[in-house]
Amino acid sequence: MINTTWLRSFCTLVEVGHFTRTAERLHMTQSGVSQHVRKLEEQLGTELLVRQGKQFSLSGAGEKLYAEAQDILLALSNLEQTVGEDPPYEGTVRLMSPGSVGLKLYPHLLSLQSKHPKLIIDYRFAPNPDVEKAIAESTVDIGFMTAKSTLAEVSCTPIAQESLLLVTPATVEEPDWETLMTLGFIDHPDGSHHAGLLLGANYTEFQHSSLFPRKGFSNQIGLILEPVSLGLGFAVLPAHAVEAFEKSEGIKAHRLSHPVSETLYLSVPRNRSLQARMNTVIAEAKRWLNG
Amino acid sequence: MINTTWLRSFCTLVEVGHFTRTAERLHMTQSGVSQHVRKLEEQLGTELLVRQGKQFSLSGAGEKLYAEAQDILLALSNLEQTVGEDPPYEGTVRLMSPGSVGLKLYPHLLSLQSKHPKLIIDYRFAPNPDVEKAIAESTVDIGFMTAKSTLAEVSCTPIAQESLLLVTPATVEEPDWETLMTLGFIDHPDGSHHAGLLLGANYTEFQHSSLFPRKGFSNQIGLILEPVSLGLGFAVLPAHAVEAFEKSEGIKAHRLSHPVSETLYLSVPRNRSLQARMNTVIAEAKRWLNG
DNA sequence: ATTTATCATTACTTTTCGTAATCTTTTAAA
DNA sequence: TTTAAAAGATTACGAAAAGTAATGATAAAT
């Protein structure tokens, strides 16, 4: 590894053009500067200075070294100064969650970013297993999941309840079992699970969603209600996904006698102190998930 | 300045998660690793590791330090490896010249760049005084000038002759003095100087260009012949600028009995060894300026 | 030609670095 | 609970290096 002290002497020398004055600038002796440059040359195995008597000019390697070293030295000294800082409204925060939460949160987090432009929101939609994996591998900072993670590296705490809703086309007044079976089921990646939870608690006729007539499928959370609004079937979805659907006139969300909700968990790396900006974003998320 | 040896120990520790194994990886003792981390923390005045018994996790500052330090250390080791290299077809070459030469050279240099995509051509058009200033300040690598520089830092060597041409609208067969005076003069930044050289040697009537009827001016080298091609006046220009003019049917360049040419000088920083890519570009330039 | 300014070299002092040995604490096992 | 082991922290010391003062050599200035 290049010795950065020698490198700094070399760069200062290039700027000052004078060994003695460089030494003064760096609070050392001329001899020291001379040795630093020579050691650098020895280590790199290249001439850096073309010496012409007491004058010198830069060799090709010297030019290159100086040009690139400046950036590196600057980065190093910036790092030294800023490493202790922990600004709550600056830097990138990487989140990952299943679609329904994301649909709810992402717009609010973007509006947080427009208030604090240095706070960069990186939000990815993915199913639970991907979320916990990403947290464990530290490729994201904050995750939301609809089930507790089983991984040791992931710490999960409940932060909200997501109501599950039965959604039919707006034309359906009373969603009795007969009506649902006639309509057919619009499925999504968690569709079977959600349907089991909500319909199992509200319809004695329910056995398993695989017995439904299946009328469609989408893994694009924002699009699942599209076929429902066209009268093509019914779906079971978290409330957040329903709220975010734009063509709300085409659909009807039904209040069933036995409400069912899923717990939403906040997932962060266990045993790692979060930086201030993460807490900023978590606070904002809680606000909107509970409000 | 942050000690990069300590920094490397810290980064390796973060990756390995284990003091003893980090020590093995770095061919040193566990005690050394421990001290390096402690010294870093002391120097930065921040906790980097949150120690939980023999486990540890990164503090906020630790995360930040690790994230940024990796890039810096990588850059340092890359620099170490590449500083001795001097590839003739890679890197940026910054040139500056007056318009006429630029008009000639720039297309050829661009085609050189398309043959060697890593060789980046940065070509700026500017008058002689700006060129020598830029060379002296090392903001460009290679300059072309139509006069020797007076600055000590700039080394000038003649590399080509630029013929000066009298250019009139195509309708003019014989450019006698009367005709020129009727047409009027289209001026440019070096117009007066060029006219003095060429017309002074060929017309006994010539006294000074300020006595011409002045019919136009442009400092955009590619556009000076525009008014000439429209029959609005005559101009005196280096041959290269004339060759590069697209609407050549509208103009006529006249061969006078006493040809005059200007010497073109290559300007480089004095006492500085040029890198290989500079010589590549200089060779290419010579080829086209003399060919 | 002489003086002065500047850089290189060398011998020596001071500082820093890294290790071995030891101590302390945590974790696991008995 | 006690004991054993494993891992990191601490400390003292020898080795290495960094930096200086003194000196030498050479180029520039007068």
Side-chain angles (χ1 to χ4, degrees):
Chain A
M1 185 87 71
I2 294 179
N3 183 320
T4 51
T5 308
W6 302 349
L7 201 56
R8 181 166 49 93
S9 299
F10 170 72
C11 286
T12 308
L13 176 66
V14 172
E15 283 151 22
V16 172
H18 218 269
F19 281 72
T20 310
R21 265 172 250 157
T22 299
E24 284 165 14
R25 172 97 76 90
L26 297 177
H27 306 292
M28 55 192 290
T29 59
Q30 168 266 317
S31 165
V33 176
S34 188
Q35 289 178 65
H36 279 189
V37 174
R38 193 162 42 74
K39 283 173 182 171
L40 252 188
E41 288 180 322
E42 279 167 15
Q43 189 192 348
L44 297 174
T46 331
E47 293 266 290
L48 296 175
L49 302 183
V50 180
R51 286 153 231 254
Q52 297 129 346
K54 54 181 65 171
Q55 315 275 58
F56 66 87
S57 59
L58 287 180
S59 72
E63 294 264 12
K64 187 166 181 176
L65 186 69
Y66 175 67
E68 313 220 356
Q70 274 187 312
D71 295 342
I72 294 178
L73 292 179
L74 186 66
L76 258 182
S77 81
N78 280 342
L79 178 55
E80 183 173 5
Q81 291 181 323
T82 62
V83 72
E85 299 171 8
D86 187 12
Y89 296 102
E90 275 180 39
T92 298
V93 178
R94 301 164 302 173
L95 299 105
M96 193 176 271
S97 79
S100 61
V101 207
L103 228 41
K104 171 78 176 181
L105 276 185
Y106 190 46
H108 295 301
L109 296 183
L110 284 185
S111 99
L112 182 69
Q113 175 170 351
S114 19
K115 257 186 263 150
H116 307 285
K118 290 185 173 174
L119 186 71
I120 310 296
I121 300 296
D122 174 338
Y123 205 123
R124 288 152 204 244
F125 291 52
N128 284 338
D130 289 12
V131 174
E132 61 179 0
K133 186 157 164 281
I135 293 286
E137 290 172 355
S138 287
T139 55
V140 306
D141 305 305
I142 298 169
F144 297 100
M145 300 173 61
T146 53
K148 271 193 167 164
S149 170
T150 56
L151 301 179
E153 301 93 328
V154 180
S155 150
C156 285
T157 51
I159 57 157
Q161 295 290 119
E162 272 200 301
S163 304
L164 295 182
L165 297 182
L166 169 63
V167 188
T168 66
T171 50
V172 174
E173 287 296 333
E174 207 45 51
D176 56 46
W177 189 252
E178 179 90 34
T179 315
L180 294 184
M181 289 307 101
T182 314
L183 269 170
F185 185 50
I186 305 293
D187 203 4
H188 59 85
D190 288 322
S192 184
H193 176 229
H194 287 160
L197 288 175
L198 183 64
L199 303 187
N202 285 278
Y203 294 89
T204 53
E205 301 92 332
F206 178 83
Q207 286 183 301
H208 193 272
S209 61
S210 60
L211 301 175
F212 294 170
R214 200 157 172 271
K215 290 290 184 61
F217 180 96
S218 175
N219 67 349
Q220 191 69 30
I221 185 78
L223 295 183
I224 292 165
L225 290 178
E226 199 68 34
V228 176
S229 75
L230 296 173
L232 300 176
F234 75 94
V236 179
L237 278 175
H240 293 146
V242 180
E243 285 166 26
F245 187 63
E246 292 188 344
K247 304 173 188 162
S248 55
E249 18 17 285
I251 58 171
K252 184 175 170 86
H254 299 274
R255 187 163 298 281
L256 302 185
S257 47
H258 299 92
V260 172
S261 56
E262 250 187 349
T263 303
L264 189 68
Y265 296 92
L266 168 68
S267 309
V268 294
R270 187 181 300 283
N271 295 331
R272 183 170 298 185
S273 57
L274 292 176
Q275 285 162 291
R277 64 182 185 279
M278 314 303 175
N279 290 318
T280 301
V281 169
I282 289 174
E284 189 74 5
K286 280 185 178 163
R287 187 177 145 208
W288 293 108
L289 290 176
N290 300 309
Chain B
M1 185 88 69
I2 294 179
N3 182 319
T4 52
T5 309
W6 303 348
L7 201 56
R8 184 167 48 92
S9 299
F10 170 73
C11 286
T12 308
L13 177 66
V14 172
E15 283 151 23
V16 172
H18 219 269
F19 281 73
T20 309
R21 264 171 253 158
T22 299
E24 285 165 16
R25 170 97 76 91
L26 297 176
H27 306 293
M28 54 191 291
T29 59
Q30 168 267 317
S31 166
V33 176
S34 190
Q35 289 178 65
H36 280 188
V37 174
R38 191 162 44 72
K39 283 172 181 169
L40 253 188
E41 288 181 321
E42 280 167 15
Q43 188 191 348
L44 297 173
T46 330
E47 292 267 289
L48 297 174
L49 302 182
V50 180
R51 285 153 232 251
Q52 298 130 346
K54 56 182 61 173
Q55 316 275 55
F56 67 85
S57 59
L58 287 180
S59 73
E63 294 265 11
K64 187 166 181 175
L65 185 69
Y66 176 67
E68 313 219 357
Q70 273 187 312
D71 295 341
I72 294 178
L73 292 179
L74 186 66
L76 259 181
S77 80
N78 279 343
L79 179 55
E80 182 174 8
Q81 291 182 325
T82 62
V83 73
E85 299 170 8
D86 187 13
Y89 297 103
E90 273 180 42
T92 299
V93 178
R94 301 163 301 173
L95 298 104
M96 193 177 270
S97 80
S100 62
V101 207
L103 229 40
K104 172 78 177 179
L105 276 185
Y106 191 46
H108 296 302
L109 296 184
L110 285 185
S111 98
L112 182 69
Q113 174 170 350
S114 18
K115 258 186 263 149
H116 307 285
K118 289 184 173 174
L119 186 71
I120 311 297
I121 300 297
D122 174 337
Y123 204 121
R124 288 152 204 245
F125 290 52
N128 283 338
D130 289 12
V131 174
E132 61 179 0
K133 185 157 167 279
I135 293 286
E137 290 172 354
S138 285
T139 56
V140 305
D141 304 305
I142 299 168
F144 297 99
M145 299 173 61
T146 52
K148 274 195 165 165
S149 169
T150 57
L151 302 179
E153 302 92 327
V154 180
S155 151
C156 286
T157 50
I159 57 159
Q161 294 290 119
E162 273 200 301
S163 306
L164 294 182
L165 296 181
L166 170 62
V167 188
T168 66
T171 50
V172 173
E173 288 295 333
E174 208 46 52
D176 56 46
W177 188 251
E178 180 89 31
T179 315
L180 294 184
M181 289 306 102
T182 314
L183 269 171
F185 185 50
I186 305 292
D187 202 4
H188 59 85
D190 288 322
S192 184
H193 175 231
H194 287 160
L197 289 175
L198 183 64
L199 303 187
N202 285 277
Y203 294 90
T204 52
E205 299 93 335
F206 179 83
Q207 287 184 301
H208 193 271
S209 63
S210 60
L211 302 176
F212 294 168
R214 198 157 173 273
K215 289 291 185 63
F217 181 96
S218 174
N219 67 349
Q220 190 70 29
I221 185 78
L223 295 183
I224 292 166
L225 290 177
E226 200 67 35
V228 177
S229 73
L230 294 173
L232 300 176
F234 76 93
V236 179
L237 277 176
H240 294 145
V242 181
E243 286 166 27
F245 187 63
E246 291 186 346
K247 305 174 187 160
S248 53
E249 40 341 314
I251 59 173
K252 184 174 172 89
H254 298 271
R255 187 162 301 278
L256 302 185
S257 48
H258 299 91
V260 172
S261 55
E262 249 187 350
T263 303
L264 189 66
Y265 296 90
L266 168 69
S267 309
V268 293
R270 186 181 301 283
N271 295 331
R272 181 169 300 186
S273 57
L274 292 176
Q275 285 161 288
R277 63 181 185 278
M278 314 303 175
N279 290 317
T280 301
V281 169
I282 289 174
E284 188 73 6
K286 279 186 179 161
R287 188 177 144 207
W288 293 107
L289 289 176
N290 298 310

